[in-house]
Amino acid sequence: MPIVMGRRKFERLVSDALDEVPPELTRQMDNVVVMVEDRNRDDPSILGLYDGIALTERGHEYAGAMPDTIWIYRDAILDICETEDDVREEVLITVVHEIAHHFGIDDARLHDLGWS
């Protein structure tokens, strides 16, 4: 049975997950925002999405670009969790996964690092 959790509490877990990211990494994050939505319209089952140009791919043409966005999808995460601890863990994994994409790390490398 999926867990029920209000948006405010879920957003707090996302904020807590961001606080877990080492400061030396968060200081290097550039022009990116983190947003919480209920679901992705195109693929309602995905837990998160990085929409932007990774730091490793940015060139001079990136100047003045709108911020990249990391999307964390609340209902999709709640669907696969049974306890609040499960939600906390899945939010952390999803946040780290999407931040890694911001740094240019692909899914294969994340899997190798144990973040699948």
Side-chain angles (χ1 to χ4, degrees):
M1 187 85 174
I3 188 170
V4 175
M5 179 180 292
R7 185 176 184 91
R8 186 174 301 193
K9 186 169 189 174
F10 186 87
E11 286 175 346
R12 233 182 354 260
L13 292 179
V14 171
S15 180
D16 292 347
L18 288 166
D19 289 344
E20 293 287 322
V21 177
E24 56 272 13
L25 292 180
T26 56
R27 281 193 298 268
Q28 293 181 37
M29 292 175 66
D30 181 47
N31 201 33
V32 62
V33 296
V34 178
M35 304 291 292
V36 173
E37 286 291 333
D38 290 336
R39 289 194 189 278
N40 178 285
R41 276 187 260 168
D42 297 327
D43 186 351
S45 66
I46 66 171
L47 308 181
L49 179 70
Y50 171 69
D51 182 22
I53 300 172
L55 294 175
T56 55
E57 297 176 17
R58 294 180 184 178
H60 66 280
E61 69 281 352
Y62 185 79
M66 294 298 291
D68 296 357
T69 306
I70 291 174
W71 298 97
I72 307 298
Y73 298 112
R74 182 177 68 96
D75 288 346
I77 289 175
L78 295 178
D79 283 350
I80 65 167
C81 295
E82 295 182 6
T83 68
E84 190 171 313
D85 286 340
D86 292 344
V87 176
R88 185 175 293 105
E89 180 179 348
E90 197 56 56
V91 165
L92 177 61
I93 290 167
T94 304
V95 166
V96 167
H97 185 102
E98 303 311 329
I99 288 174
H101 289 319
H102 176 68
F103 283 99
I105 301 171
D106 64 14
D107 286 333
R109 182 66 179 133
L110 281 168
H111 179 74
D112 292 344
L113 295 170
W115 290 95
S116 48

